[in-house]
Structure formats: C-alpha cells, structure tokens
Amino acid sequence: MTRRHAAMLRDDRGAGLVALPWAVMAFLTFLMLAVQVAVHLYSASVLTAVGHDATRRAAFGGGSPAAIADAERWLRSRIGTAVEIEVLRWNTTDDTVALELAARPPSVLMDTSAVIGQRNIERRFEVRRELARFAGSPWGSSS
C-alpha cells in the first residue's frame, strides 16, 4: 500500500459514526410510516365490513328502532375503542336502511395525517329492507 492510499484511508476514519445514526433514523421513520399506513388500511377495512354487517342486521330486523339500537351496539362492540367514531347516523325509509359512518383511525406514535392524506374514514351503507316470508302467510307463496 502506498503512502497516498494510507493517507486517504486515515481521512475517512469516523465517517461511519456520523452517517449511521442518520441512516437508522431514516429507516425507523420509513418503518413507522409503513406501519401507520397499514393500520389505516386495516381500520378502513374493518369499518367497511362491520358497517355493512350492522346495516344488514338493522335491515333484516325491519329497520325498527330496536333493531337499529341492537345493530349499533353490535357495531360498537366489534369496532372497539381503538377507532374513534365521529359520525354514526342511521336513516330509514320504507324500503331501505342507511348508515353514515365516519371514524378516525388510531395513530402510531406520530400523527401522519398530512403524509397519508385523508385522515377520517367515511363510509355510507344502504341496504334494502327484507321482510321474512313465512309459509302460510298470504305473502309467502309465489303462486
């Protein structure tokens, strides 16, 4: 090894100690962002599935206030406390039962709403009411 090469190697000593903390911090920031995106997507998926099922429960119950209260209790028990429900509005007509649902998903260590985009998850479900047809009832026969 020549003296010039040895001098170049001595000049770079300690450079890794400066770059390593910044690299670790950048890696952890990207990891945290990925986890937050995954939590947001999971929360959106759960809210969509549970909201649709709750609307179906209320519609199958005829859209009565008791059926809606039961469906809302079921929805809140399935979502849990991690997701903060901001809007939960039921609307019934002669033919349909509708649910408007807006919730805020949980944050993991830092607020990344500006990076991810839309902060609240908003869904609207509308299910047609179905009345059970029993054998022997005037509406149960299709003949």
Side-chain angles (χ1 to χ4, degrees):
M1 181 187 287
T2 66
R3 287 184 192 190
R4 195 166 122 195
H5 286 44
M8 287 174 52
L9 289 176
R10 273 189 238 114
D11 292 341
D12 289 340
R13 286 188 182 158
L17 293 176
V18 174
L20 182 67
W22 289 104
V24 169
M25 189 171 74
F27 172 75
L28 291 177
T29 302
F30 284 124
L31 184 66
M32 192 107 73
L33 181 64
V35 168
Q36 182 62 43
V37 168
V39 166
H40 186 81
L41 291 173
Y42 177 75
S43 299
S45 176
V46 167
L47 281 172
T48 301
V50 171
H52 181 68
D53 289 346
T55 309
R56 285 182 56 216
R57 283 175 169 257
F60 185 71
S64 68
I68 289 175
D70 183 47
E72 186 171 329
R73 243 185 334 273
W74 182 84
L75 180 134
R76 288 183 186 275
S77 72
R78 292 301 184 266
I79 289 178
T81 58
V83 177
E84 180 183 339
I85 298 174
E86 294 181 346
V87 175
L88 183 65
R89 189 176 308 126
W90 294 92
N91 187 12
T92 58
T93 63
D94 291 338
D95 297 337
T96 62
V97 174
L99 170 64
E100 290 180 42
L101 183 63
R104 178 177 293 165
S107 241
V108 179
L109 294 179
M110 63 183 187
D111 187 20
T112 54
S113 59
V115 177
I116 292 176
Q118 183 180 2
R119 179 67 176 143
N120 289 345
I121 300 169
E122 298 175 0
R123 299 286 186 264
R124 177 169 166 71
F125 309 97
E126 191 169 325
V127 177
R128 196 175 99 189
R129 280 202 229 185
E130 295 291 335
L131 299 175
R133 296 185 179 186
F134 299 104
S137 70
W139 303 282
S141 60
S142 58
S143 53

